[in-house]
């Protein structure tokens, strides 16, 4: 499978991975196991997704049956916002590793550049955005430098081979590069034809940071949350259906290929065994330059995952 070579470690990050957000807990182990059997090697998890234990079960089943070796897999997880303070980063990363049943992550990301008040995992896990009332967001005064230093220590301790950031924009990335002893190797952000993010991509390229696009299908993932903002489904857009008919692929495969052809990795999520296989087959064809341009022209800077909509004090993309 095609991959992106990460700086510092030269580790290969597969260009197509499997996203674990909203993968149903009760079927997650079977889904991950089936995904490995189908050829997936990268799994994109997070403490916040609440299914790390189940994802780990799927991984361990495949390992114990000899379907893959641990070194052939690339397991990503993320640090949630309530664990940014120096006394919490290492402890929670190790708890997450225990949930997966693994001894290291291949990549560990800061999920959002937002620090929230600590919630003890024995009280509530995953803690999500709000307090016990399910309504109040309580920020914490933890500077990014404190959290990044702890991320670097995770590398020193062998907890994570590679470290990176997610949902970060230019100015916070500039700041991290001022003090980083170990530079972020990966930036994971929302990118799809309604939010093409050219300047951010260019900036990441300049810095040598690999980019992973999330929510490649745009509003599709947000429909079930009532957060799709009423826009036309990308799957039905003329520019995409027309490109799909030219290459004899599905619209989902075209959306993934568009991102890959722009130099990014993708991590589509699917609870369906058929769609999961289909999504993996997005590398063996080329979109024409004209179709690439027509798809990119759909950009309307539409961001579907914006914490400012939960609380205006979290306007990280303002
Ligand atoms: N860092 C972050 O803050 C962040 C935020 C969001 C997402 N992510 C990561 O990125 C991953 C992917 O993003 P996402 O989950 O938002 O959305 P996505 O992969 O763009 O879309 C998932 C949606 O598309 C459907 N789908 C999947 N394959 C399809 C196909 N071939 N044809 C038609 N429909 C298809 C899925 O339904 P079915 O399941 O029914 O197939 C689901 O409704 C996440 O799982 C997560 O790992 C990270």
């Amino acid at each position: 499978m095609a991959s992106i070579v990460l700086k510092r470690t030269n580790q290969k990050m597969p260009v197509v991975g499997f996203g674990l957000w909203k993968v149903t807990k009760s079927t997650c182990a079977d889904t991950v196991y089936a995904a490995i059997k189908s050829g997936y090697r990268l799994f994109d998890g997070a403490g916040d997704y609440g299914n790390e234990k189940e994802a780990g079960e799927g991984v361990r089943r495949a390992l114990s049956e000899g379907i893959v070796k641990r070194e052939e897999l690339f397991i990503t997880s993320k640090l949630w916002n309530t664990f940014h303070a120096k006394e919490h980063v290492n402890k929670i990363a190790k708890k997450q590793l225990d949930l997966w049943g693994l001894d290291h992550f291949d990549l560990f990301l800061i999920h959002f550049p937002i620090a929230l008040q600590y919630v003890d995992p024995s009280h509530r896990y995953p803690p999500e955005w709000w307090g016990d009332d399910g309504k109040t967001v309580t920020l914490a005064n933890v500077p990014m430098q404190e959290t990044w230093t702890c991320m670097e220590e995770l590398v020193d301790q062998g907890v994570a081979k590679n470290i990176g950031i997610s949902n970060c924009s230019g100015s916070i990335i500039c700041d991290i590069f001022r003090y980083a002893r170990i530079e972020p190797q990966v930036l994971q952000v929302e990118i799809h034809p309604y939010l093409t993010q050219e300047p951010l991509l260019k900036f990441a390229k300049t810095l040598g940071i690999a980019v992973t696009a999330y929510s490649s299908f745009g509003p599709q993932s947000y429909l079930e949350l009532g957060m799709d903002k009423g826009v036309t489904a990308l799957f039905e857009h003329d520019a995409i259906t027309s490109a799909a008919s030219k290459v004899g692929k599905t619209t989902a495969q075209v959306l993934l290929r568009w991102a890959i052809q722009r130099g990014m990795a993708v991590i589509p999520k699917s609870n369906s065994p058929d769609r999961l296989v289909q999504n993996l087959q997005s590398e063996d064809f080329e979109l024409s330059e004209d179709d690439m341009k027509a798809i990119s022209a759909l950009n309307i800077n539409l961001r579907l995952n914006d914490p400012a909509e939960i609380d205006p004090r979290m306007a990280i993309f303002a």
Side-chain angles (χ1 to χ4, degrees), residues 18-23 43-46 49 78 80 109-112 166-167 188-190 212-224 235 250-253 256 266-272 274-276 278-279 305:
F18 186 84
L20 287 163
W21 183 38
K22 297 194 261 96
V23 170
F43 289 86
D44 183 75
Y49 302 161
K78 309 187 190 87
W80 186 242
L109 304 172
I110 297 181
H111 207 147
F112 286 89
S166 178
N167 297 301
Q188 186 180 118
V189 280
E190 179 180 340
T212 301
Y214 76 67
S215 300
S216 295
F217 304 142
Q220 195 62 30
S221 167
Y222 297 86
L223 259 175
E224 64 188 278
F235 294 141
T250 68
T251 47
Q253 289 168 323
L256 297 171
V266 290
I267 41 172
K269 165 266 175 186
S270 182
N271 277 319
S272 140
D274 294 341
R275 289 194 283 273
L276 164 165
Q278 186 197 120
N279 294 342
N305 190 1

Side-chain angles (χ1 to χ4, degrees), residues 26-52:
S26 57
T27 49
C28 183
D30 290 342
T31 302
V32 167
Y33 175 77
I36 294 174
K37 274 192 132 173
S38 310
Y40 280 93
R41 294 296 175 260
L42 184 150
F43 289 86
D44 183 75
D48 187 50
Y49 302 161
N51 54 16
E52 290 192 289

Side-chain angles (χ1 to χ4, degrees), residues 223-245:
L223 259 175
E224 64 188 278
L225 303 170
M227 287 165 56
D228 63 305
K229 301 197 169 162
V231 290
T232 306
L234 283 168
F235 294 141
E236 287 159 21
H237 222 293
D238 286 352
I240 296 161
T241 53
S242 131
S245 65

